[in-house]
Amino acid sequence: MKLLIQNASYIASNGEKKQSDILIEDGVITKIEENIKTAVDRKIDGAGLLTAPGFIDLHIHLREPGGEKKETIATGTLAAARGGFTTVAAMPNTRPVPDTKEQMDWLMQRIEDTAKVRVLPYASITTRQLGKELTDFHALKQAGAFAFTDDGVGVQSADMMLQAMQLAAKENMAIVAHCEENTLIHKGSVHEGDFSKKHSLNGIPSVCESVQIARDVLLAEAAGCHYHVCHISTKESVRVVKDAKRAGIHVTAEVTPHHLLLSEDDIPGLDANYKMNPPLRSASDRDALIEGLLDGTIDFIATDHAPHTAEEKAAGMELAPFGIVGLETAFPLLYPHLVKKNVLTLEQLIDFLTVKPAEAFGLPLGKIEIGATADLVLINLNEERSINPEEFLSKGKNTPFSGWDVSGWPEMTIAGGEIVWEKGCVTA
Ligand SMILES: [Zn+2]
């Protein structure tokens, strides 16, 4: 397949805004120059659009196997493509869990057969994510695991976490952690704060997260392991990561769009579309997350796309499962709310969704240059439209952002040199 994007406006790897044609041959960017004249399978008019590297989301839930009512690898990766994502890393809290070579082999084959974009599968740290025994890191790495995580639950035993980090270090792999100290969850469904008090709900305190991050950065120092903090949500957590980085510990962290844009003050009532884990914290936590992103404490943005059925979410704030979808709304939310409001520059936002996650995990992706994998998204920055969950290609419609007027919608997504999604062609 040979594609030519004509008059593409893009941001070069040195941060400069450029305009030229981009030629894609056999999945690779082979030429970037003005007025490329050559026969191609398709010419794409990039005028008036921003061409960016395909977005990378290192934290999503595809639910397959076992949760196909909520999402499948096919539907989740099509949703990713619609959101401009060309690489996603899938969490292992499926049934069964990818915790053996056999399960990982099955998953890799299923991805090969049904995924629309690149999927990097996480393997679990412990068998069935039960926190009782470690999985075979070496065999799982050989089978294709991207990194190790028990996302959805924290690893409770410090000894087990230390052993996991030592093994991961030996395999040159990262430990990716959902940080929650079980004895501090207090059966909470929301943040312990103003909202929980007002509605007499059990709250999850900030220390439930930060105390485990504090433990883990010290374990990572002892083990010499790359330790990555999932969906950081509190100001204390940001402080701990900042201190750890200053001490030279190999720690990285991600933050979600919803934790950057919302706080507990924005929850209108007992609507489970505002229920996620970690929960929406206080406004001062949200401000600390933005500051942490700006000063380099937080490395990149990841959506924690977590689809659930409407029936499950209808169970109410206390009983509904945690999680919201995020793949199809990330850029159109962040562009008007962070870039247009001058919190971030456009270059910074794109970096947080492309080259920053790539660099944190040593992936050779996220740049527009000759020889790079042709993962690209063409975005109409001027298109203003409100978020309508009924338009989502994800099976999950569970979002707190329904009806928000946003801008910066993707028009076309190219992954590995193939057009995997295009506005108006739903099943590309
Ligand atoms: Zn998590």
Side-chain angles (χ1 to χ4, degrees):
M1 175 75 93
K2 216 168 160 182
L3 300 174
L4 179 65
I5 306 174
Q6 294 179 307
N7 298 309
S9 297
Y10 70 101
I11 300 157
S13 29
N14 62 3
E16 230 175 274
K17 273 196 189 124
K18 291 196 168 173
Q19 182 140 7
S20 68
D21 292 356
I22 299 176
L23 181 65
I24 297 163
E25 293 173 281
D26 299 328
V28 176
I29 296 174
T30 54
K31 223 182 230 183
I32 304 176
E33 56 190 46
E34 280 173 44
N35 293 316
I36 297 174
K37 301 247 181 293
T38 179
V40 291
D41 295 298
R42 180 157 168 199
K43 282 182 186 160
I44 298 155
D45 184 9
L49 304 174
L50 173 76
T51 300
F55 302 144
I56 298 169
D57 189 347
L58 297 184
H59 191 139
I60 73 160
H61 297 269
L62 287 172
R63 305 296 189 206
E64 185 178 359
E68 290 85 351
K69 267 193 191 158
K70 300 172 196 270
E71 195 78 289
T72 64
I73 293 168
T75 59
T77 54
L78 190 56
R82 180 169 180 255
F85 291 90
T86 51
T87 299
V88 293
M91 286 300 172
N93 60 337
T94 50
R95 293 289 171 271
V97 171
D99 57 4
T100 62
K101 180 192 173 321
E102 289 67 32
Q103 281 308 325
M104 188 53 78
D105 286 344
W106 181 89
L107 184 57
M108 293 296 286
Q109 188 60 50
R110 190 71 184 154
I111 289 166
E112 172 77 30
D113 293 344
T114 65
K116 307 280 187 235
V117 302
R118 184 180 298 103
V119 178
L120 308 171
Y122 285 104
S124 63
I125 296 171
T126 66
T127 301
R128 292 167 61 205
Q129 298 194 251
L130 294 174
K132 298 215 169 91
E133 58 178 328
L134 294 174
T135 56
D136 184 342
F137 283 16
H138 182 71
L140 286 162
K141 181 188 179 182
Q142 296 301 114
F146 165 61
F148 299 98
T149 181
D150 274 0
D151 183 55
V153 285
V155 174
Q156 299 305 306
S157 156
D159 183 41
M160 182 140 302
M161 193 52 143
L162 179 60
Q163 286 181 50
M165 287 179 176
Q166 287 166 338
L167 277 173
K170 226 166 92 184
E171 298 292 339
N172 199 21
M173 297 277 272
I175 291 289
V176 172
H178 168 114
C179 298
E180 243 185 326
E181 163 58 48
N182 281 357
T183 60
L184 292 170
I185 297 174
H186 300 160
K187 297 197 179 115
S189 47
V190 294
H191 173 61
E192 184 184 87
D194 294 343
F195 185 88
S196 68
K197 282 188 203 104
K198 186 174 161 199
H199 294 275
S200 305
L201 293 168
N202 286 352
I204 307 169
S206 292
V207 281
C208 179
E209 172 180 293
S210 55
V211 78
Q212 201 164 77
I213 298 175
R215 178 199 75 176
D216 284 356
V217 295
L218 295 169
L219 295 174
E221 181 179 34
C225 161
H226 173 199
Y227 169 70
H228 177 74
V229 181
C230 290
H231 42 51
I232 191 167
S233 74
T234 81
K235 51 184 175 289
E236 295 82 5
S237 304
V238 175
R239 192 179 70 216
V240 168
V241 170
K242 192 171 186 171
D243 285 347
K245 284 194 169 185
R246 205 178 284 151
I249 301 168
H250 188 179
V251 52
T252 54
E254 73 194 25
V255 63
T256 70
H258 47 276
H259 288 109
L260 290 170
L261 299 181
L262 299 173
S263 74
E264 61 175 343
D265 304 342
D266 299 306
I267 310 175
L270 299 175
D271 178 352
N273 283 328
Y274 290 80
K275 180 180 182 181
M276 69 290 284
N277 192 6
L280 297 174
R281 305 280 187 188
S282 70
S284 64
D285 290 303
R286 183 202 54 209
D287 294 348
L289 296 172
I290 290 171
E291 203 183 308
L293 196 59
L294 286 168
D295 73 14
T297 303
I298 300 171
D299 296 79
F300 59 86
I301 295 169
T303 69
D304 193 7
H305 175 82
H308 292 292
T309 65
E311 298 71 50
E312 288 169 316
K313 277 298 192 183
M317 199 60 118
E318 283 176 286
L319 296 176
F322 290 99
I324 62 168
V325 291
L327 285 167
E328 291 170 84
T329 53
F331 190 85
L333 278 168
L334 294 169
Y335 176 65
H337 288 279
L338 296 184
V339 175
K340 282 188 168 177
K341 290 183 181 168
N342 296 317
V343 178
L344 299 179
T345 65
L346 178 60
E347 291 81 356
Q348 282 174 317
L349 175 58
I350 289 173
D351 282 356
F352 287 130
L353 290 165
T354 58
V355 74
K356 296 277 187 180
E359 281 174 0
F361 282 80
L363 299 168
L365 300 169
K367 287 183 186 171
I368 296 181
E369 57 192 18
I370 291 168
T373 301
D375 289 352
L376 298 164
V377 54
L378 281 76
I379 302 165
N380 185 346
L381 293 177
N382 299 318
E383 186 186 357
E384 293 182 16
R385 192 148 49 83
S386 64
I387 292 173
N388 175 5
E390 293 314 311
E391 291 173 4
F392 290 170
L393 298 179
S394 167
K395 287 192 185 184
K397 315 296 175 197
N398 47 313
T399 176
F401 297 109
S402 180
W404 280 42
D405 291 317
V406 297
S407 59
W409 292 89
E411 297 245 321
M412 176 186 282
T413 304
I414 298 170
E418 305 282 333
I419 298 169
V420 289
W421 177 80
E422 189 175 356
K423 192 179 166 187
C425 303
V426 175
T427 53

